[in-house]
Amino acid sequence: MNLDAVLDIAAGAFLITGALLSLAAGVGLLRFPDLLTRMHAAAKPQVLGLLLVLVGCALRLRTGVDITTLVLVGIFQLATAPVAAHMVGRAAYPHDDIRTDLLVTDELAAHLDRAAGERADATRD
């Protein structure tokens, strides 16, 4: 067995594992009950699944230009997915799209109460 065959087998394993994680993320989006759990399913396994697919593609393609492009795709995904998930969660929180009975701790409630009080004080002045 030569090196090319070993790299192709590893690439296939990475591609299949990444595809399964992305499939799990899609199923989680359909099955989870509220926005925060869906957001978690969309961000965590989807990013890892994409990174595994990118590694599999890099092992299969093995050229400098292709690997550079795949690295850039991975970096941009790692930079944007957590920020987007955070912004969606912050935007949806005040609109009662969150099931607070499922939360272990609600760290944002105190900040929102304080911000609402400051807004009320500012409107009275």
Side-chain angles (χ1 to χ4, degrees), residues 41-124:
K44 305 292 185 206
Q46 183 269 331
V47 171
L48 181 58
L50 176 70
L51 291 177
L52 290 174
V53 167
L54 293 175
V55 169
C57 289
L59 289 174
R60 182 67 184 104
L61 297 173
R62 298 184 204 117
T63 62
V65 173
D66 293 331
I67 292 174
T68 304
T69 304
L70 295 172
V71 167
L72 286 174
V73 169
I75 289 170
F76 289 134
Q77 183 69 26
L78 285 172
T80 58
V83 174
H86 178 77
M87 296 306 293
V88 167
R90 290 290 293 240
Y93 184 85
H95 299 291
D96 297 327
D97 292 335
I98 309 296
R99 287 188 50 192
T100 55
D101 61 320
L102 297 176
L103 296 177
V104 176
T105 59
D106 190 0
E107 297 169 348
L108 192 56
H111 295 290
L112 287 178
D113 292 340
R114 186 180 64 213
E118 290 172 3
R119 266 195 305 257
D121 291 341
T123 56
R124 278 186 254 151

Side-chain angles (χ1 to χ4, degrees), residues 4-6 22 26 29-30 32-33 37 39 49 56 58-60 95 101 115 120:
D4 287 338
V6 171
S22 296
L29 284 174
L30 295 175
F32 286 152
T37 54
M39 185 176 61
L59 289 174
R60 182 67 184 104
H95 299 291
D101 61 320

Side-chain angles (χ1 to χ4, degrees), residues 25-40:
V27 170
L29 284 174
L30 295 175
R31 300 284 302 168
F32 286 152
D34 71 330
L35 179 82
L36 291 180
T37 54
R38 287 182 185 146
M39 185 176 61
H40 179 79

